[in-house]
Amino acid sequence: MDFAWWPHKASETVASYRLRCAQIISELSRRGVSCGLYASGVAPKVLVLSKRYDAPSISTAQALRDEHGTRIVLDLCDNHFSFAGQDPEWVARAETLKNAVAAADLVTASTETLADMIREACPDVRGVAVIGDAAEQPYEPDLSAKLGDIGAELNLALLRQKLDRNRRRLVWFGNHGSDYASGGMLDLQRIYPMLEALDTETPIQLTIISNSVEKYRQTVSGWRIPTHYLRWRRTTFSRAMRLHALCLIPIGDNPFTRCKTNNRVATALLHDLPVVADSIPAYEAFADAIVLNDWEHGLRLMLNDSIEANRRVARGKAILAADWTLPTIADR
C-alpha cells in the first residue's frame, strides 16, 4: 500500500475522520491510488497519522520508518497546543503533540492559522503544508441506512412535529464543546439577547443539532424562545438542516477557535442555508457570502430579504466549487 491513514478514531461521528480520512481515501481510490486505513502488519510508503499523536502510535510509526522507510505525515486540524487553564493532562498532551511533530517528516495543517501555530510551538518542525477540508456534500441515505438507525428516524419525525409553522426556523449545529477550550454550544448564550429581541419582531425558534442533550439543557436554561434538540446522526442531518431557514455560527475568539476550518460554513451553504457568524480567519474568504460580526442587522437581513439571502448562498457555493471540492483537496 502506498498511502495509509491511521485516524485517532475511525467513526463517522468524528468530523475529522469523515473529512480528512474517509472521503479522501475514497476519492484517491477512485483514481486508482493504492491507499486505505492502516492495519497492523502493513508497511505503507506513507503513513498519515490523523490527529493521532500519542506516544505508542508515534513509536509504531518510527519503527515502520526505521524498518521499511515509511514516511510519516502528521495531519492536524485542531490547535491542541493551546488550552484553557493549566490542567496537567492538557499540559502533558501538548508536550506529547510537540514530540510527535518533531518525529514527523511532514505536518499537514487544515488552516494557515494552525500552520502558523505549529511553527511557533515547534520550531524544529521539518515541514508544514496546508491542506484544507474538502466541503462535505449533503448525505442522502438509502432505505437500508434509514432502517439501520430507526431511533434517529423517529427523532427526526418528532422534530418535524415540534417545529412551529408560524415561527422562522433557525439552526445551530456542531460538537457541544470540549474540556480544554472554551466554545461550542455555550457560545449561543452570548447572542441570545439578540435572538430574544428579534423574536419580538419576527417570531423565531431554534434547533440545536449536536451530541450532548445535557449541554443543550444547560445552554437554553431560562430561554423564552422555543428551542428543539436533535442528536446528530449522519442519516438524518441533511434532512434536518433543510427544515430550517438560517444557520447561526457564533464563535468566541480564542487560540483554539481561531485555528478552525470553514467546514461549518461550507456545510450550511451546501444545504442552501444563509449564515450569520462570528469571524475567524477561515471564514474571511466568505465575507461576501455570509454575514460576519453583525448579528443584529444580519439576522434581520437574512430572514427578511430572501433575494439577498439567496444571492449570498449562491456566492458561497461558487467559492466552494472553485476552491474546496473533494477533487481539489485530493489533488493537494
Side-chain angles (χ1 to χ4, degrees):
M1 183 182 293
D2 289 340
F3 299 92
W5 271 258
W6 195 8
H8 78 295
K9 188 176 182 181
S11 169
E12 286 189 347
T13 64
V14 178
S16 62
Y17 170 72
R18 297 194 316 274
L19 295 171
R20 301 184 70 80
C21 291
Q23 67 173 356
I24 301 299
I25 290 172
S26 177
E27 173 64 15
L28 293 178
S29 296
R30 186 188 65 79
R31 301 180 184 189
V33 175
S34 173
C35 64
L37 291 177
Y38 171 70
S40 180
V42 175
K45 292 181 179 178
V46 177
L47 178 63
V48 182
L49 299 164
S50 180
K51 289 181 71 173
R52 189 181 192 99
Y53 53 82
D54 60 284
S57 296
I58 296 303
S59 179
T60 297
Q62 289 175 313
L64 288 169
R65 180 168 60 194
D66 292 342
E67 296 173 20
H68 304 282
T70 297
R71 302 284 285 175
I72 303 171
V73 175
L74 178 62
D75 182 49
L76 300 177
C77 58
D78 276 323
N79 177 11
H80 288 173
F81 300 99
S82 303
F83 43 87
Q86 288 297 317
D87 188 313
E89 179 181 351
W90 305 129
V91 173
R93 188 176 75 166
E95 288 304 311
T96 299
L97 176 55
K98 291 177 183 178
N99 292 335
V101 168
D105 296 294
L106 176 70
V107 179
T108 50
S110 55
T111 66
E112 294 285 355
T113 307
L114 180 56
D116 290 340
M117 178 62 67
I118 294 166
R119 296 185 187 102
E120 179 182 339
C122 308
D124 57 348
V125 62
R126 300 183 192 184
V128 182
V130 177
I131 303 178
D133 289 345
E136 188 173 27
Q137 296 296 318
Y139 177 64
E140 304 298 338
D142 58 21
L143 180 59
S144 64
K146 293 178 182 178
L147 293 176
D149 197 345
I150 292 296
E153 294 298 317
L154 291 174
N155 287 334
L156 179 61
L158 287 173
L159 174 63
R160 285 196 178 102
Q161 291 180 359
K162 292 177 181 177
L163 290 170
D164 188 339
R165 294 183 179 180
N166 297 315
R167 289 180 172 272
R168 303 300 300 277
R169 302 173 178 183
L170 282 56
V171 65
W172 179 95
F173 70 94
N175 189 298
H176 72 87
S178 64
D179 296 331
Y180 53 84
S182 60
M185 197 187 299
L186 289 174
D187 284 331
L188 285 164
Q189 292 181 334
R190 179 171 48 81
I191 67 167
Y192 176 70
M194 287 172 277
L195 296 178
E196 190 169 80
L198 173 65
D199 185 62
T200 63
E201 309 164 14
T202 304
I204 59 172
Q205 58 196 314
L206 174 66
T207 299
I208 292 175
I209 304 174
S210 192
N211 60 336
S212 173
V213 69
E214 293 81 9
K215 184 65 70 65
Y216 160 72
R217 290 169 179 155
Q218 177 187 355
T219 299
V220 305
S221 177
W223 284 22
R224 185 179 61 80
I225 65 172
T227 63
H228 318 287
Y229 176 79
L230 182 70
R231 185 166 182 80
W232 186 93
R233 286 291 186 270
R234 189 178 184 215
T235 53
T236 57
F237 176 73
S238 287
R239 285 175 287 160
M241 288 286 282
R242 290 194 175 106
L243 296 174
H244 297 85
L246 176 62
C247 182
L248 312 179
I249 311 180
I251 303 176
D253 180 52
N254 60 62
F256 181 75
T257 57
R258 283 196 293 273
C259 292
K260 284 291 188 180
T261 73
N262 62 30
N263 72 73
R264 285 207 290 166
V265 165
T267 297
L269 291 169
L270 289 174
H271 286 87
D272 299 312
L273 288 176
V275 175
V276 181
D278 288 316
S279 184
I280 59 174
Y283 292 1
E284 291 172 3
F286 294 85
D288 188 44
I290 63 178
V291 176
L292 291 172
N293 301 326
D294 188 1
W295 287 95
E296 292 189 15
H297 174 68
L299 289 168
R300 290 163 176 80
L301 177 67
M302 292 296 96
L303 285 176
N304 298 324
D305 189 339
S306 60
I307 293 176
E308 178 61 11
N310 290 336
R311 183 197 73 79
R312 294 198 183 217
V313 170
R315 173 60 183 150
K317 286 184 172 182
I319 294 170
L320 293 170
D323 298 318
W324 302 99
T325 65
L326 179 56
T328 297
I329 299 301
D331 285 344
R332 293 176 187 169

Short mmCIF file of all heavy atoms in Angstrom, two decimals, residues 255-300:
data_model
loop_
_atom_site.label_atom_id
_atom_site.label_comp_id
_atom_site.label_asym_id
_atom_site.label_seq_id
_atom_site.Cartn_x
_atom_site.Cartn_y
_atom_site.Cartn_z
N PRO A 255 -7.42 31.13 21.00
CA PRO A 255 -6.44 30.47 20.13
C PRO A 255 -6.95 29.17 19.52
O PRO A 255 -6.48 28.78 18.43
CB PRO A 255 -5.25 30.22 21.08
CG PRO A 255 -5.37 31.28 22.12
CD PRO A 255 -6.84 31.46 22.33
N PHE A 256 -7.86 28.48 20.18
CA PHE A 256 -8.40 27.23 19.65
C PHE A 256 -9.34 27.50 18.48
O PHE A 256 -9.21 26.92 17.40
CB PHE A 256 -9.13 26.47 20.75
CG PHE A 256 -9.71 25.15 20.31
CD1 PHE A 256 -8.89 24.05 20.12
CD2 PHE A 256 -11.07 25.00 20.10
CE1 PHE A 256 -9.41 22.82 19.71
CE2 PHE A 256 -11.61 23.79 19.70
CZ PHE A 256 -10.77 22.69 19.51
N THR A 257 -10.30 28.40 18.67
CA THR A 257 -11.30 28.65 17.63
C THR A 257 -10.69 29.36 16.42
O THR A 257 -11.15 29.17 15.29
CB THR A 257 -12.47 29.47 18.18
OG1 THR A 257 -11.98 30.70 18.72
CG2 THR A 257 -13.21 28.70 19.26
N ARG A 258 -9.65 30.18 16.63
CA ARG A 258 -9.06 30.89 15.50
C ARG A 258 -8.42 29.94 14.49
O ARG A 258 -8.23 30.31 13.32
CB ARG A 258 -8.01 31.90 16.00
CG ARG A 258 -8.61 33.16 16.57
CD ARG A 258 -7.59 34.27 16.68
NE ARG A 258 -6.56 34.00 17.66
CZ ARG A 258 -6.65 34.28 18.96
NH1 ARG A 258 -7.75 34.86 19.43
NH2 ARG A 258 -5.65 34.01 19.78
N CYS A 259 -8.11 28.73 14.91
CA CYS A 259 -7.48 27.75 14.01
C CYS A 259 -8.48 26.87 13.29
O CYS A 259 -8.09 26.01 12.47
CB CYS A 259 -6.51 26.87 14.80
SG CYS A 259 -5.05 27.76 15.42
N LYS A 260 -9.76 27.04 13.54
CA LYS A 260 -10.78 26.18 12.96
C LYS A 260 -10.91 26.40 11.44
O LYS A 260 -10.56 27.45 10.91
CB LYS A 260 -12.14 26.44 13.62
CG LYS A 260 -12.28 25.84 15.01
CD LYS A 260 -12.32 24.34 14.93
CE LYS A 260 -12.67 23.68 16.25
NZ LYS A 260 -12.70 22.21 16.13
N THR A 261 -11.44 25.39 10.77
CA THR A 261 -11.62 25.45 9.32
C THR A 261 -12.96 26.08 8.96
O THR A 261 -13.75 26.45 9.82
CB THR A 261 -11.56 24.04 8.70
OG1 THR A 261 -12.78 23.33 9.04
CG2 THR A 261 -10.36 23.26 9.21
N ASN A 262 -13.24 26.14 7.67
CA ASN A 262 -14.50 26.71 7.18
C ASN A 262 -15.60 25.66 7.06
O ASN A 262 -16.64 25.92 6.46
CB ASN A 262 -14.30 27.37 5.81
CG ASN A 262 -13.85 26.38 4.74
OD1 ASN A 262 -14.17 25.19 4.77
ND2 ASN A 262 -13.10 26.86 3.76
N ASN A 263 -15.41 24.45 7.64
CA ASN A 263 -16.33 23.35 7.29
C ASN A 263 -17.76 23.59 7.73
O ASN A 263 -18.69 23.14 7.06
CB ASN A 263 -15.79 22.01 7.79
CG ASN A 263 -15.87 21.84 9.28
OD1 ASN A 263 -16.93 21.66 9.87
ND2 ASN A 263 -14.72 21.87 9.93
N ARG A 264 -18.00 24.33 8.83
CA ARG A 264 -19.39 24.56 9.23
C ARG A 264 -20.08 25.55 8.29
O ARG A 264 -21.25 25.38 7.93
CB ARG A 264 -19.46 25.04 10.68
CG ARG A 264 -19.22 23.91 11.67
CD ARG A 264 -19.90 24.18 12.99
NE ARG A 264 -19.28 25.27 13.72
CZ ARG A 264 -19.83 25.89 14.76
NH1 ARG A 264 -21.03 25.55 15.19
NH2 ARG A 264 -19.19 26.85 15.38
N VAL A 265 -19.35 26.57 7.87
CA VAL A 265 -19.90 27.48 6.86
C VAL A 265 -20.20 26.73 5.57
O VAL A 265 -21.27 26.87 4.97
CB VAL A 265 -18.92 28.64 6.59
CG1 VAL A 265 -19.30 29.39 5.31
CG2 VAL A 265 -18.91 29.61 7.77
N ALA A 266 -19.25 25.91 5.13
CA ALA A 266 -19.43 25.14 3.90
C ALA A 266 -20.63 24.23 3.99
O ALA A 266 -21.44 24.13 3.06
CB ALA A 266 -18.17 24.32 3.60
N THR A 267 -20.77 23.54 5.12
CA THR A 267 -21.89 22.62 5.29
C THR A 267 -23.22 23.34 5.22
O THR A 267 -24.16 22.89 4.55
CB THR A 267 -21.76 21.88 6.63
OG1 THR A 267 -20.56 21.11 6.62
CG2 THR A 267 -22.95 20.97 6.88
N ALA A 268 -23.32 24.48 5.89
CA ALA A 268 -24.58 25.23 5.86
C ALA A 268 -24.91 25.69 4.44
O ALA A 268 -26.04 25.53 3.97
CB ALA A 268 -24.49 26.43 6.80
N LEU A 269 -23.94 26.26 3.75
CA LEU A 269 -24.18 26.76 2.40
C LEU A 269 -24.59 25.64 1.45
O LEU A 269 -25.48 25.83 0.60
CB LEU A 269 -22.93 27.46 1.87
CG LEU A 269 -22.55 28.77 2.56
CD1 LEU A 269 -21.17 29.22 2.12
CD2 LEU A 269 -23.58 29.85 2.28
N LEU A 270 -23.97 24.48 1.58
CA LEU A 270 -24.31 23.35 0.71
C LEU A 270 -25.69 22.78 1.01
O LEU A 270 -26.24 22.02 0.21
CB LEU A 270 -23.26 22.26 0.80
CG LEU A 270 -21.91 22.62 0.16
CD1 LEU A 270 -20.88 21.53 0.42
CD2 LEU A 270 -22.07 22.85 -1.35
N HIS A 271 -26.25 23.16 2.16
CA HIS A 271 -27.64 22.80 2.47
C HIS A 271 -28.57 23.99 2.20
O HIS A 271 -29.70 24.02 2.70
CB HIS A 271 -27.75 22.35 3.92
CG HIS A 271 -27.21 20.98 4.17
ND1 HIS A 271 -25.88 20.75 4.46
CD2 HIS A 271 -27.80 19.75 4.14
CE1 HIS A 271 -25.69 19.45 4.62
NE2 HIS A 271 -26.83 18.82 4.43
N ASP A 272 -28.07 24.96 1.40
CA ASP A 272 -28.87 26.11 0.96
C ASP A 272 -29.30 27.02 2.10
O ASP A 272 -30.32 27.71 2.01
CB ASP A 272 -30.10 25.65 0.18
CG ASP A 272 -29.73 24.89 -1.08
OD1 ASP A 272 -28.87 25.38 -1.82
OD2 ASP A 272 -30.27 23.79 -1.31
N LEU A 273 -28.50 27.08 3.16
CA LEU A 273 -28.84 27.93 4.30
C LEU A 273 -27.95 29.16 4.34
O LEU A 273 -26.71 29.04 4.32
CB LEU A 273 -28.66 27.16 5.61
CG LEU A 273 -29.68 26.07 5.91
CD1 LEU A 273 -29.30 25.34 7.18
CD2 LEU A 273 -31.07 26.66 6.04
N PRO A 274 -28.53 30.35 4.40
CA PRO A 274 -27.72 31.54 4.66
C PRO A 274 -27.12 31.45 6.06
O PRO A 274 -27.64 30.74 6.93
CB PRO A 274 -28.72 32.69 4.54
CG PRO A 274 -30.06 32.08 4.75
CD PRO A 274 -29.96 30.67 4.26
N VAL A 275 -26.03 32.18 6.28
CA VAL A 275 -25.27 32.06 7.52
C VAL A 275 -25.02 33.43 8.13
O VAL A 275 -24.63 34.37 7.42
CB VAL A 275 -23.91 31.36 7.25
CG1 VAL A 275 -23.06 31.34 8.52
CG2 VAL A 275 -24.12 29.95 6.72
N VAL A 276 -25.20 33.52 9.44
CA VAL A 276 -24.73 34.65 10.22
C VAL A 276 -23.74 34.09 11.23
O VAL A 276 -24.05 33.13 11.95
CB VAL A 276 -25.88 35.38 10.94
CG1 VAL A 276 -25.34 36.59 11.71
CG2 VAL A 276 -26.94 35.84 9.93
N ALA A 277 -22.54 34.67 11.28
CA ALA A 277 -21.48 34.07 12.08
C ALA A 277 -20.55 35.13 12.66
O ALA A 277 -20.54 36.28 12.21
CB ALA A 277 -20.66 33.10 11.23
N ASP A 278 -19.78 34.73 13.65
CA ASP A 278 -18.62 35.50 14.07
C ASP A 278 -17.46 35.13 13.17
O ASP A 278 -17.39 34.01 12.65
CB ASP A 278 -18.27 35.18 15.53
CG ASP A 278 -19.27 35.76 16.50
OD1 ASP A 278 -19.67 36.93 16.33
OD2 ASP A 278 -19.67 35.04 17.44
N SER A 279 -16.54 36.05 13.00
CA SER A 279 -15.44 35.83 12.06
C SER A 279 -14.26 35.11 12.71
O SER A 279 -13.90 35.39 13.85
CB SER A 279 -14.96 37.17 11.50
OG SER A 279 -13.96 36.97 10.53
N ILE A 280 -13.71 34.16 11.98
CA ILE A 280 -12.41 33.58 12.26
C ILE A 280 -11.65 33.62 10.94
O ILE A 280 -12.26 33.82 9.87
CB ILE A 280 -12.50 32.14 12.81
CG1 ILE A 280 -13.22 31.22 11.82
CG2 ILE A 280 -13.16 32.13 14.17
CD1 ILE A 280 -13.23 29.75 12.24
N PRO A 281 -10.34 33.47 10.93
CA PRO A 281 -9.60 33.61 9.67
C PRO A 281 -10.13 32.76 8.52
O PRO A 281 -10.18 33.23 7.38
CB PRO A 281 -8.18 33.20 10.06
CG PRO A 281 -8.07 33.63 11.49
CD PRO A 281 -9.42 33.34 12.09
N ALA A 282 -10.55 31.53 8.79
CA ALA A 282 -11.01 30.65 7.71
C ALA A 282 -12.32 31.11 7.09
O ALA A 282 -12.68 30.66 6.00
CB ALA A 282 -11.16 29.23 8.24
N TYR A 283 -13.05 32.00 7.77
CA TYR A 283 -14.33 32.48 7.24
C TYR A 283 -14.18 33.73 6.38
O TYR A 283 -15.13 34.13 5.69
CB TYR A 283 -15.30 32.80 8.38
CG TYR A 283 -15.80 31.62 9.17
CD1 TYR A 283 -15.38 30.31 8.89
CD2 TYR A 283 -16.69 31.79 10.23
CE1 TYR A 283 -15.82 29.23 9.63
CE2 TYR A 283 -17.15 30.71 10.97
CZ TYR A 283 -16.72 29.44 10.67
OH TYR A 283 -17.17 28.38 11.42
N GLU A 284 -13.01 34.35 6.42
CA GLU A 284 -12.86 35.64 5.76
C GLU A 284 -13.03 35.54 4.24
O GLU A 284 -13.50 36.50 3.61
CB GLU A 284 -11.50 36.24 6.11
CG GLU A 284 -11.41 36.65 7.58
CD GLU A 284 -10.02 37.07 8.01
OE1 GLU A 284 -9.12 37.10 7.13
OE2 GLU A 284 -9.82 37.37 9.20
N ALA A 285 -12.69 34.40 3.66
CA ALA A 285 -12.88 34.23 2.21
C ALA A 285 -14.36 34.23 1.83
O ALA A 285 -14.69 34.39 0.64
CB ALA A 285 -12.23 32.92 1.75
N PHE A 286 -15.24 34.08 2.81
CA PHE A 286 -16.67 34.02 2.55
C PHE A 286 -17.38 35.31 2.97
O PHE A 286 -18.60 35.33 3.14
CB PHE A 286 -17.29 32.84 3.31
CG PHE A 286 -16.82 31.50 2.82
CD1 PHE A 286 -15.64 30.96 3.31
CD2 PHE A 286 -17.54 30.79 1.87
CE1 PHE A 286 -15.18 29.72 2.86
CE2 PHE A 286 -17.09 29.56 1.42
CZ PHE A 286 -15.91 29.02 1.91
N ALA A 287 -16.62 36.38 3.12
CA ALA A 287 -17.18 37.63 3.63
C ALA A 287 -18.32 38.16 2.77
O ALA A 287 -19.22 38.84 3.28
CB ALA A 287 -16.08 38.69 3.74
N ASP A 288 -18.30 37.87 1.48
CA ASP A 288 -19.38 38.32 0.59
C ASP A 288 -20.51 37.29 0.49
O ASP A 288 -21.51 37.54 -0.16
CB ASP A 288 -18.82 38.59 -0.81
CG ASP A 288 -19.85 39.26 -1.73
OD1 ASP A 288 -20.53 40.19 -1.26
OD2 ASP A 288 -19.98 38.82 -2.89
N ALA A 289 -20.34 36.16 1.16
CA ALA A 289 -21.32 35.08 1.04
C ALA A 289 -22.11 34.85 2.32
O ALA A 289 -23.17 34.23 2.29
CB ALA A 289 -20.62 33.79 0.64
N ILE A 290 -21.58 35.33 3.44
CA ILE A 290 -22.26 35.18 4.72
C ILE A 290 -22.19 36.52 5.45
O ILE A 290 -21.47 37.42 5.03
CB ILE A 290 -21.63 34.07 5.58
CG1 ILE A 290 -20.17 34.40 5.93
CG2 ILE A 290 -21.69 32.73 4.84
CD1 ILE A 290 -19.50 33.35 6.81
N VAL A 291 -22.91 36.65 6.53
CA VAL A 291 -22.84 37.86 7.34
C VAL A 291 -21.90 37.59 8.51
O VAL A 291 -22.10 36.65 9.28
CB VAL A 291 -24.23 38.27 7.87
CG1 VAL A 291 -24.11 39.49 8.78
CG2 VAL A 291 -25.17 38.58 6.71
N LEU A 292 -20.88 38.45 8.66
CA LEU A 292 -19.89 38.27 9.71
C LEU A 292 -19.92 39.45 10.69
O LEU A 292 -19.95 40.61 10.26
CB LEU A 292 -18.49 38.15 9.11
CG LEU A 292 -18.18 36.88 8.32
CD1 LEU A 292 -16.83 37.00 7.63
CD2 LEU A 292 -18.21 35.66 9.24
N ASN A 293 -19.96 39.12 11.97
CA ASN A 293 -19.80 40.11 13.05
C ASN A 293 -20.86 41.21 13.02
O ASN A 293 -20.59 42.35 13.40
CB ASN A 293 -18.40 40.76 12.98
CG ASN A 293 -17.30 39.74 13.10
OD1 ASN A 293 -17.42 38.74 13.79
ND2 ASN A 293 -16.19 40.00 12.41
N ASP A 294 -22.05 40.88 12.59
CA ASP A 294 -23.13 41.87 12.54
C ASP A 294 -24.45 41.17 12.83
O ASP A 294 -25.30 41.01 11.96
CB ASP A 294 -23.17 42.54 11.15
CG ASP A 294 -24.13 43.72 11.11
OD1 ASP A 294 -24.74 44.03 12.15
OD2 ASP A 294 -24.28 44.33 10.03
N TRP A 295 -24.60 40.73 14.06
CA TRP A 295 -25.73 39.88 14.41
C TRP A 295 -27.07 40.61 14.32
O TRP A 295 -28.03 40.08 13.75
CB TRP A 295 -25.52 39.30 15.81
CG TRP A 295 -24.46 38.25 15.82
CD1 TRP A 295 -23.14 38.40 16.11
CD2 TRP A 295 -24.63 36.87 15.47
NE1 TRP A 295 -22.47 37.20 15.98
CE2 TRP A 295 -23.36 36.25 15.58
CE3 TRP A 295 -25.74 36.10 15.08
CZ2 TRP A 295 -23.18 34.89 15.33
CZ3 TRP A 295 -25.55 34.76 14.82
CH2 TRP A 295 -24.29 34.16 14.94
N GLU A 296 -27.16 41.79 14.87
CA GLU A 296 -28.46 42.46 14.92
C GLU A 296 -29.00 42.73 13.51
O GLU A 296 -30.15 42.44 13.20
CB GLU A 296 -28.34 43.76 15.72
CG GLU A 296 -28.09 43.52 17.21
CD GLU A 296 -28.19 44.80 18.02
OE1 GLU A 296 -28.71 45.79 17.49
OE2 GLU A 296 -27.73 44.79 19.17
N HIS A 297 -28.15 43.29 12.66
CA HIS A 297 -28.58 43.57 11.29
C HIS A 297 -28.63 42.29 10.45
O HIS A 297 -29.56 42.09 9.67
CB HIS A 297 -27.62 44.58 10.64
CG HIS A 297 -27.89 44.81 9.19
ND1 HIS A 297 -29.03 45.44 8.73
CD2 HIS A 297 -27.18 44.47 8.06
CE1 HIS A 297 -29.00 45.51 7.41
NE2 HIS A 297 -27.89 44.91 6.99
N GLY A 298 -27.64 41.43 10.64
CA GLY A 298 -27.54 40.24 9.81
C GLY A 298 -28.69 39.28 9.99
O GLY A 298 -29.19 38.70 9.00
N LEU A 299 -29.13 39.08 11.21
CA LEU A 299 -30.27 38.18 11.44
C LEU A 299 -31.51 38.66 10.70
O LEU A 299 -32.20 37.89 10.03
CB LEU A 299 -30.56 38.10 12.94
CG LEU A 299 -29.54 37.34 13.81
CD1 LEU A 299 -29.80 37.60 15.29
CD2 LEU A 299 -29.59 35.85 13.50
N ARG A 300 -31.77 39.95 10.79
CA ARG A 300 -32.95 40.50 10.13
C ARG A 300 -32.81 40.47 8.61
O ARG A 300 -33.76 40.15 7.89
CB ARG A 300 -33.19 41.93 10.63
CG ARG A 300 -33.65 41.96 12.08
CD ARG A 300 -33.50 43.34 12.72
NE ARG A 300 -34.04 43.36 14.08
CZ ARG A 300 -33.38 42.88 15.14
NH1 ARG A 300 -32.17 42.37 14.99
NH2 ARG A 300 -33.94 42.93 16.34
#
